[in-house]
Amino acid sequence: MSHDGEFIAYMAAFEASTTHLGACPTCQNDQPCETGAPIHKEFIARQDAWTGRKRP
């Protein structure tokens, strides 16, 4: 995946995670729900990939 594509995927995962978090009382209490858990996991994976690539 290109740098641009990786960043776009990272930002899409961020948006999905924050959108779900804003609408889900269960996830707001640090207890990811069945729907939110994979969304948040995907965001964390994309974030780790992006920050790992950007470190010198």
Side-chain angles (χ1 to χ4, degrees), residues 1 3 6-7 10 13 17-19 21 24 34 38 47 52 54:
M1 183 180 295
H3 289 292
E6 190 173 341
F7 183 73
Y10 168 36
S17 181
T18 57
T19 298
L21 183 64
C24 180
E34 189 174 313
Q47 183 179 43
K54 289 299 170 189

Side-chain angles (χ1 to χ4, degrees), residues 38-51:
I39 294 170
H40 304 312
K41 186 176 182 177
E42 175 71 10
F43 166 63
I44 291 167
R46 296 285 184 178
Q47 183 179 43
D48 288 348
W50 179 253
T51 57

Side-chain angles (χ1 to χ4, degrees), residues 25-40:
T26 302
C27 288
Q28 291 171 12
N29 289 323
D30 292 327
Q31 299 293 324
C33 71
E34 189 174 313
T35 301
I39 294 170
H40 304 312

